[in-house]
Amino acid sequence: MLVGCLFPSCAAGQAVEPTPAPPEPAEAAKNIRPAEGLEVRLFASEPMVRQPVSISFDHRGRLWVLQYIQYPNPNGLTPTAVDQYLRTKYDRLPEPPPRGPKGNDRITILEDSDGDGRADRATDFLDGLNLASGMALGYDGVFVAQPPYLLFYADRDHDDVPDGDPEVLLKGFGMEDAHAFANSLTWGPDGWLYGAQGSTVTADIRGVGFQQGIWRYHVPTRRFELFAEGGGNTWGIDFDRDGQLFAGGNTTEPLCHHVQGAYYIKGFGKHGPLHNPFAFGYFNPVKHVGFLGTALTGGCVIYQGGLFSDRFHEACIYPNLRANAMRVARLVPSGSTFETHYQEDFAASSDVWFRPVDCQVGPDGALYAADWCDVNISHTNPKDRSEWYPPSRNDGRIWRFVPAGTNPTPMAELALEHLASRDLVKLLPHRNAWYSREAWRILGERRDPSVLPELRASLFAQSASHIALESLWALYVSGGLSEDLAGELLKHPAPAVRAWTIRLIGDECLLPAAVQGNLLNLAATEADSTVRSQLACTARRLPGPQALAIVARMLRRDIDAGDPHLPLLLWWAIEDKAISDRSQVLELFAEPEMWVHPLARDTVAERLARRYAGEATSQGWDSCSRLQSLAPDSGTRDRLLAAVDAQLAGTRLDAPPPELSQLVESILRGDRVDLAVIRLALRLRLPEALPKGLAIVGDRSANMTNRVGLIEAIGTTAYPECVDPLLSCFSAEEPPAIRLAALSALQAYDDAKIAEQLMGQYARLTPELKTRIRGLLVSRAAWSQKLVNAVRNKQIPASDVEVEQVRQMLVHKQPDLNRQIESLWGRVTPATTREKQGKISAVSIILAKGKGDAAAGKPIMLKQCGICHQLFGEGNKIGPDLTTADRKNLAVLLPNVVDPSAVIRPEFLAYTVQTIDGRALSGLLAESTPDAITLLDAKNARTTINRMDIEAMEPMPSSLMPERILDALTDQQIRDLFEYLQSNAGTGDAQGGR
């Protein structure tokens, strides 16, 4: 929730008039529209609770609330530096409580002593916390995340008073930005304490560095692990009935499905590359189908409470705080992972103060939602428009959602901690998963061997797989999973039991001898993809011989070649052993039959070639050559060399490796030379390469794809003799694809005649080529001067030059050039807030005056918006996909079109890059490696730049999307455009729109 853009700025489209105070709780309840068949009731409000950020029920049925009142700045520390992402450096690292500075955060226990469904007693367990962002109850105490620490406050006498100072369990969580602190402490079925960390902080715990990710801590053994890296500004963790982990956050979709050891998407510009530069891929959030609104979720639950109707059972209910709503999505299997399908709104409010940030299912089966209750959801200035909305730290509500007509259930006498262990076992099949979770948590703390026989018997006696799974979890945390039993469970009829058995035995990072054969058998025969997914995850954790024996069998499972997760999971298992077990890894490909299988051939082999090239050692190049020698045919060898070429993209090879040069030279002398080989030879600066490449580039009868590829490769060499051939490729006789490729390649050459010849052809060109030429000219100061001269001399109309191109010329910071630019185009500044509000009002009036035609609006959308956005599968994927956006809500859509820079999601933040050779480039950061970056500009053109060639790189204050796209449209065209933007796919029907 409080993670980066989980608390970013007020949503575009919300009112900007002062709002003096939130509505009273009774009025606020009237503004909340729950889903059909449900009703909402107030459980607690201020002054009993303020700024609630995390809630959790204890084994007595009392609700514990973490109040994040100190947010967003720690008390007692002095900022020494703040970057553009609000990452702050402080003058010192605070000591842990009680020695460190005290803050205003507190943990409060709420009780409903009379059973009327509303809290009537509040007891502060702990105060004086200083940006405490997460908590979990267990082991006779409370675990508290207060970065940089994970703390444990013992309360062994259960008097609701800490026994003393906290124990420091972990140190090193990032604390640069309270929007992204460690959060969402949640007990896993395996007895580990799981947590999340957001994006704009960097942790370093026991030598493990990471930004966003899921981590876990094992209390009895004090082990710490990074469970999965990436995943956006993560907030909220829950497990489904099968123990699959889901987390919310600020990504392009509502949820991430986190599997062990995986890598997930990051905002590479803001957060840097993945910590493993050889991951060569990552998982996106689960694909979402249907209405999305804003992909800003946190505190989600997979509802397993047993109180709601079947339509909510095992559905994901997630807050959408920027939209003042909560949504429901079904989890639909997709191979070894899932999709989310929008089902309905769980709750929506017209009240801009309604900010649900965390959810919990209570012992009564009701869903409880923590409401941050603040128009200002970021508390940062100026991004949150705090001149209108000063931070409010005195408000907060806890809402209770139940089926209409449900009577409150007294919860004060649960006292599960007093139950005998055998009675806790009886709670495992409870229809409300809160009871089973509490049962195996308490059993894990007790480790009572007396329950083991009953749990073993239950594992095989239950017809319901989830009950057998609950028994497995309880047995494991009680210390009862033996090698012999594990061998039997690997044959269990329930896939989830097999998968979790693999995971639990693999957590020790060494397979017991008794089960190795079972796992090898499963690798070859397992029918369920989720079990195979866990097998791949576990293989990565094992020693090389055990891991590679499993992977060798899994690579032959062609059925998994198209799975969303399994190909990369298998690659990561191999990559982990690529250096430590080099000979065994290469031996996987010594058998010709292995190359027949797409997982081995298409997923692993090419990445392995890249991995060894990326090693950049003599041994690495030898490994590349060895892999080449094992390839079954020339086509495969060419693809391996293409992979090496891809790895070297953006890198400098001042001294090309002789092993690779000799290999490429030998192929280059052959009769049939693949494009990939020539490209690589050009990069290696082999003398035979350039003549061969230029010959193909100049041959108009040659394959156009090959010509384009070679033109792009020549553009990276910067050979002066290539300028004339590239200019020849821009002749009128050449097709558009060749001319566009030539323009991209010419960008790398600082030669005055390039600008002169291109401007000489300008008047005869298509609008697209004119746009691309202007984009080329503004990238260098000298060429920008020629463009300005051409405008002054009326050779090029001033109106042709877009505002973004004018801004790019200003990046060169040439005073005389800037004065000329101002004389031609005026002072280029973003529109003021008042101007934008006036434009929003004007367009609102236009839309109200008439009806639009969706069919007529489609070509306008593709021309004006489709350059960057997709809608119904058409357009480009530079910016967010509009299909699942909140298009029906004009109050959100219209400001986003008029003021696209008001809220820029981190993954769509653009950058300006200045190179040491004088270029100024801009675009989204499409790829980022330790050696190079790739920019994707607003015209869908990609440019790869070596990091050593970058002089400066800064985020752009504005969106790549132009601010004045509506100015060139007539009133009717504006109505047509918005009619199409708000229509339903393929129907032209704008139901739910205006």
Side-chain angles (χ1 to χ4, degrees):
M1 175 217 56
L2 304 166
V3 279
C5 279
L6 270 184
F7 273 11
S9 58
C10 294
Q14 290 178 349
V16 292
E17 296 301 322
T19 302
E24 292 298 318
E27 186 64 27
K30 295 178 183 178
N31 294 332
I32 300 173
R33 303 179 303 279
E36 183 180 358
L38 300 180
E39 62 186 35
V40 59
R41 301 172 183 173
L42 181 71
F43 181 75
S45 64
E46 66 276 1
M48 188 177 284
V49 59
R50 297 185 294 152
Q51 303 282 256
V53 72
S54 180
I55 55 178
S56 182
F57 283 93
D58 67 12
H59 46 246
R60 293 167 56 185
R62 304 178 304 171
L63 185 64
W64 293 56
V65 183
L66 175 57
Q67 301 177 69
Y68 206 36
I69 304 168
Q70 183 63 44
Y71 169 82
N73 301 309
N75 189 39
L77 302 182
T78 302
T80 60
V82 181
D83 72 7
Q84 66 270 26
Y85 303 116
L86 307 179
R87 289 185 290 223
T88 304
K89 293 182 179 179
Y90 295 101
D91 58 341
R92 68 187 192 281
L93 196 68
E95 293 189 83
R99 299 185 302 278
K102 291 187 176 181
N104 295 309
D105 298 336
R106 61 185 59 206
I107 294 175
T108 302
I109 308 169
L110 302 181
E111 297 181 72
D112 173 16
S113 61
D114 58 7
D116 67 351
R118 184 162 180 171
D120 49 39
R121 182 185 303 161
T123 304
D124 284 340
F125 174 80
L126 190 62
D127 60 15
L129 295 171
N130 197 11
L131 287 182
S133 50
M135 69 169 181
L137 311 175
Y139 286 88
D140 294 322
V142 183
F143 296 82
V144 177
Q146 180 175 295
Y149 305 105
L150 176 65
L151 308 169
F152 177 67
Y153 287 88
D155 179 21
R156 295 182 176 85
D157 57 5
H158 296 192
D159 64 351
D160 297 333
V161 177
D163 296 341
D165 294 344
E167 179 184 2
V168 177
L169 302 178
L170 295 173
K171 175 184 177 180
F173 289 104
M175 58 176 304
E176 302 95 318
D177 182 3
H179 302 82
F181 271 18
N183 62 83
S184 306
L185 304 188
T186 306
W187 292 107
D190 49 8
W192 290 65
L193 181 63
Y194 287 74
Q197 180 176 271
S199 59
T200 42
V201 298
T202 299
D204 187 352
I205 300 172
R206 300 178 183 175
V208 179
F210 64 99
Q211 287 93 36
Q212 61 262 56
I214 302 294
W215 54 271
R216 62 178 187 166
Y217 177 77
H218 193 245
V219 177
T221 61
R222 298 179 178 262
R223 290 164 60 188
F224 169 83
E225 290 184 358
L226 179 62
F227 184 78
E229 182 189 343
N233 244 342
T234 308
W235 186 272
I237 293 173
D238 201 10
F239 297 86
D240 70 4
R241 279 285 191 188
D242 290 335
Q244 300 285 351
L245 191 159
F246 295 88
N250 184 27
T251 61
T252 55
E253 311 284 356
L255 294 176
C256 278
H257 170 216
H258 288 273
V259 297
Q260 194 173 30
Y263 299 99
Y264 292 80
I265 189 171
K266 298 174 70 176
F268 297 114
K270 186 175 183 179
H271 313 125
L274 293 166
H275 281 72
N276 181 0
F278 306 114
F280 300 144
Y282 51 81
F283 294 154
N284 283 303
V286 294
K287 179 183 177 182
H288 184 71
V289 178
F291 174 73
L292 177 62
T294 59
L296 186 61
T297 64
C300 60
V301 298
I302 313 298
Y303 183 78
Q304 302 160 64
L307 181 65
F308 295 167
S309 66
D310 288 346
R311 80 177 196 269
F312 295 108
H313 181 59
E314 297 191 40
C316 181
I317 301 171
Y318 56 93
N320 199 320
L321 77 165
R322 190 188 290 158
N324 315 112
M326 300 166 67
R327 318 284 192 197
V328 182
R330 306 299 310 182
L331 291 168
V332 178
S334 176
S336 65
T337 182
F338 296 84
E339 294 179 351
T340 50
H341 289 218
Y342 172 76
Q343 176 175 297
E344 61 190 298
D345 281 356
F346 185 82
S349 178
S350 58
D351 175 13
V352 294
W353 289 82
F354 178 59
R355 303 291 190 183
V357 295
D358 194 26
C359 295
Q360 287 291 323
V361 177
D364 57 350
L367 187 136
Y368 292 75
D371 179 359
W372 182 255
C373 194
D374 197 343
V375 172
N376 183 330
I377 57 176
S378 183
H379 290 193
T380 55
N381 188 8
K383 292 186 177 181
D384 60 355
R385 302 174 178 169
S386 58
E387 63 268 32
W388 291 292
Y389 304 129
S392 173
R393 295 182 173 87
N394 298 315
D395 311 299
R397 284 87 192 261
I398 308 292
W399 301 103
R400 178 172 176 263
F401 292 86
V402 295
T406 302
N407 293 321
T409 302
M411 296 187 291
E413 302 302 325
L414 289 175
L416 297 188
E417 77 277 16
H418 296 314
L419 291 180
S421 296
R422 62 181 180 276
D423 292 325
L424 289 173
V425 170
K426 294 177 182 177
L427 292 177
L428 295 177
H430 201 287
R431 67 173 186 165
N432 184 350
W434 181 87
Y435 285 89
S436 56
R437 293 180 179 192
E438 282 295 293
W440 45 249
R441 181 187 63 78
I442 298 171
L443 287 169
E445 295 173 14
R446 291 181 183 177
R447 293 182 73 83
D448 183 352
S450 69
V451 300
L452 298 182
E454 182 179 355
L455 290 171
R456 288 193 197 99
S458 176
L459 271 167
F460 296 98
Q462 296 293 344
S463 58
S465 62
H466 76 271
I467 299 177
L469 190 56
E470 294 280 358
S471 299
L472 171 61
W473 291 331
L475 180 135
Y476 174 75
V477 298
S478 299
L481 183 58
S482 65
E483 293 182 20
D484 290 342
L485 179 59
E488 294 180 51
L489 291 174
L490 291 173
K491 304 171 187 175
H492 197 281
V497 172
R498 299 196 298 276
W500 266 96
T501 302
I502 293 168
R503 176 161 159 184
L504 295 174
I505 60 177
D507 271 354
E508 300 307 314
C509 301
L510 179 66
L511 286 182
V515 299
Q516 287 189 52
N518 301 82
L519 262 62
L520 289 174
N521 180 60
L522 287 178
T525 62
E526 172 59 53
D528 188 90
S529 60
T530 60
V531 181
R532 299 197 299 273
S533 172
Q534 183 58 55
L535 192 55
C537 294
T538 294
R540 184 183 179 190
R541 300 172 62 89
L542 301 176
Q546 290 187 338
L548 295 174
I550 292 171
V551 169
R553 287 161 174 78
M554 297 189 71
L555 289 177
R556 293 173 167 85
R557 306 294 299 273
D558 296 350
I559 190 175
D560 290 326
D563 187 87
H565 276 186
L566 271 158
L568 278 177
L569 289 176
L570 289 168
W571 159 242
W572 293 329
I574 290 176
E575 190 279 326
D576 190 71
K577 317 302 177 190
I579 306 302
S580 62
D581 299 85
R582 186 188 306 267
S583 60
Q584 294 92 329
V585 168
L586 288 169
E587 194 63 27
L588 290 174
F589 294 91
E591 183 181 348
E593 191 267 339
M594 181 64 79
W595 294 91
V596 174
H597 300 287
L599 280 169
R601 182 187 64 241
D602 302 333
T603 298
V604 173
E606 294 176 20
R607 284 178 170 84
L608 193 59
R610 290 190 63 182
R611 175 65 181 89
Y612 288 133
E615 186 183 356
T617 67
S618 177
Q619 196 173 16
W621 295 119
D622 284 342
S623 298
C624 280
S625 297
R626 169 66 174 154
L627 190 61
Q628 284 278 336
S629 70
L630 296 173
D633 52 60
S634 60
T636 304
R637 287 192 289 273
D638 289 342
R639 287 196 296 273
L640 294 177
L641 285 176
V644 173
D645 180 64
Q647 179 62 23
L648 297 178
T651 62
R652 287 181 176 173
L653 287 175
D654 297 325
E659 300 90 346
L660 182 62
S661 296
Q662 292 166 12
L663 173 64
V664 175
E665 279 180 327
S666 66
I667 299 175
L668 203 60
R669 289 192 291 267
D671 295 332
R672 190 200 65 82
V673 182
D674 188 78
L675 168 69
V677 177
I678 300 176
R679 284 175 61 99
L680 183 55
L682 285 167
R683 197 181 303 283
L684 295 172
R685 295 184 174 271
L686 299 181
E688 304 96 327
L690 189 58
K692 282 182 177 289
L694 290 178
I696 296 174
V697 164
D699 182 1
R700 291 177 183 166
S701 65
N703 178 277
M704 185 183 301
T705 301
N706 288 349
R707 294 182 70 200
V708 168
L710 284 171
I711 290 171
E712 292 172 351
I714 288 171
T716 68
T717 64
Y719 285 120
E721 57 265 41
C722 293
V723 171
D724 287 334
L726 289 174
L727 286 171
S728 297
C729 289
F730 196 73
S731 69
E733 292 77 20
E734 294 286 6
I738 298 295
R739 303 182 82 180
L740 289 172
L743 283 177
S744 295
L746 286 166
Q747 182 177 254
Y749 296 84
D750 188 6
D751 190 321
K753 65 182 176 184
I754 294 174
E756 293 171 0
Q757 291 198 27
L758 293 178
M759 285 196 297
Q761 302 182 52
Y762 185 87
R764 303 186 298 275
L765 300 177
T766 64
E768 180 182 15
L769 288 173
K770 287 180 178 179
T771 299
R772 291 292 294 274
I773 283 182
R774 295 194 305 271
L776 174 66
L777 296 176
V778 301
S779 68
R780 294 183 183 274
W783 295 355
S784 296
Q785 182 64 67
K786 291 183 180 295
L787 175 61
V788 168
N789 293 343
V791 171
R792 183 186 295 110
N793 297 331
K794 309 299 182 183
Q795 294 173 285
I796 296 177
S799 59
D800 276 13
V801 185
E802 300 166 0
V803 173
E804 288 70 29
Q805 293 172 337
V806 176
R807 288 196 180 113
Q808 192 163 341
M809 289 192 287
L810 295 172
V811 171
H812 298 298
K813 299 179 181 178
Q814 302 287 319
D816 185 55
L817 177 63
N818 291 355
R819 283 191 292 272
Q820 296 175 62
I821 290 171
E822 185 172 344
S823 71
L824 290 169
W825 290 281
R827 187 177 295 275
V828 179
T829 58
T832 66
T833 301
R834 185 178 300 277
E835 290 170 338
K836 292 171 183 173
Q837 286 298 313
K839 182 65 175 178
I840 291 171
S841 298
V843 175
S844 297
I845 293 171
I846 290 171
L847 295 176
K849 283 186 174 181
K851 178 73 172 174
D853 180 349
K858 179 178 178 178
I860 300 172
M861 179 271 162
L862 291 175
K863 179 180 178 181
Q864 299 289 348
C865 314
I867 297 174
C868 293
H869 299 281
Q870 276 202 347
L871 180 59
F872 310 139
E874 296 184 85
N876 291 315
K877 291 185 176 181
I878 298 175
D881 192 322
L882 301 180
T883 311
T884 55
D886 198 359
R887 297 177 290 110
K888 304 293 187 179
N889 186 346
L890 190 63
V892 172
L893 177 62
L894 180 53
N896 279 327
V897 173
V898 174
D899 188 7
S901 299
V903 178
I904 307 174
R905 283 164 36 185
E907 63 270 30
F908 298 111
L909 188 67
Y911 289 81
T912 295
V913 174
Q914 292 176 275
T915 64
I916 58 177
D917 67 348
R919 286 182 290 165
L921 308 167
S922 62
L924 300 178
L925 200 58
E927 295 180 21
S928 175
T929 72
D931 297 319
I933 64 167
T934 299
L935 293 178
L936 180 66
D937 70 15
K939 308 304 180 186
N940 211 24
R942 301 169 72 92
T943 304
T944 298
I945 310 164
N946 187 290
R947 287 189 181 274
M948 295 177 65
D949 294 333
I950 296 175
E951 183 175 292
M953 175 174 167
E954 298 179 350
M956 293 174 60
S958 58
S959 169
L960 279 183
M961 177 177 169
E963 290 185 352
R964 299 181 174 90
I965 65 170
L966 301 181
D967 289 2
L969 303 181
T970 66
D971 289 1
Q972 186 57 46
Q973 286 175 323
I974 290 174
R975 286 190 286 266
D976 294 343
L977 171 63
F978 276 84
E979 193 70 24
Y980 182 67
L981 287 174
Q982 294 192 284
S983 68
N984 296 323
T987 66
D989 179 8
Q991 289 179 2
R994 301 190 305 280

